[in-house]
Amino acid sequence: MDDFDYLEFEWHDDGVAQLTISRPDALNALNKDVLSELVALITDLDSDELRALIITGEGRAFVAGADIAAMKEMTAEEAEEFGRLGHRTMNAIESLPVPTIAAVNGFALGGGLELALSCDLIYLSESAKVGLPEVGLGIIPGFGGTQRLGRTIGWHQARRLVFTGEQLSAEEAAAIGLGIEVVDDDALFDRVLDVASTIAANGPVAVAKAKTVMRKGADATLQEGIAGEIQAFADLWDTHDRSEGMEAFLDRRSADFQGS
Ligand code: COA
């Protein structure tokens, strides 16, 4: 994998990988370079090996938003291009075939919360602070926040957070479904690794199908979503992992999944 200026990438056991956004002097704020690196890294990921991806930030922030100093100088055309790059980034993360987990270790504001929302699961450290403060800058969330937040926590709470720009504590966020669990700062990484390893131990093709069907279903009618589920359920029948998983259960042993 290429060298990146603002990203660190490492493999843990069992196909679990970790991507750390590393621009700590600016609380990991997303400028064009960071976004371009993210798109490049995500696009190049070897998903044959990958079972789950953890995304986190270096230092005291997850990501404190899009880069305000850079945005201040942009023309409307440049802002549109920047918005499109942000969307390419979030869409690339959302479309990864494996589950993604945001380990929100500190500030996740604006583009940082939008990045977390493009992941499948959000875990929060005790000191995390989340929100969409853009209206306080005279703009709106531009990397998916006006769309993904409502789809995640419901439109009523989403409107509150977008209109007020309020920053929530981890406890407040988890109480409205913006995060699965609040974990001690020191324990966040172990907890998230544990969840990722649990996911990685399951049938990879099944997990990927489940993700696709659920993601597509969220934007479909119920009957369209059900049609997708029926097809995916049947598609799994001829996989090695389906026969192995069922045989292993009946033999009372752990399954040896191959991802095929
Ligand atoms: N864009 C660019 N730079 C940012 C940034 C952002 N979104 N968020 C933080 N930074 C920079 C600060 O400018 C500062 O840089 P400096 O040391 O060169 O002055 C550095 O990161 C540290 O931030 P600072 O504000 O000094 O830390 P703090 O602990 O006092 O406050 C925050 C932390 C997150 C509350 C505050 O930085 C903040 O409100 N950031 C902007 C959040 C936001 O509006 N995000 C949405 C953008 S669309």
Side-chain angles (χ1 to χ4, degrees), residues 25-27 29 60 64-69 71 107 109-110 133-134 137 139:
D25 292 350
L27 301 185
R60 63 193 178 96
D67 190 313
I68 299 169
M71 285 193 295
F107 295 109
L109 302 173
E134 284 90 343
L137 299 167
I139 59 172

Side-chain angles (χ1 to χ4, degrees), residues 127-138:
S127 60
K129 284 252 187 283
V130 307
L132 293 175
E134 284 90 343
V135 290
L137 299 167

Side-chain angles (χ1 to χ4, degrees), residues 37 90 124 203:
E37 287 195 357
M90 306 311 160
L124 303 157

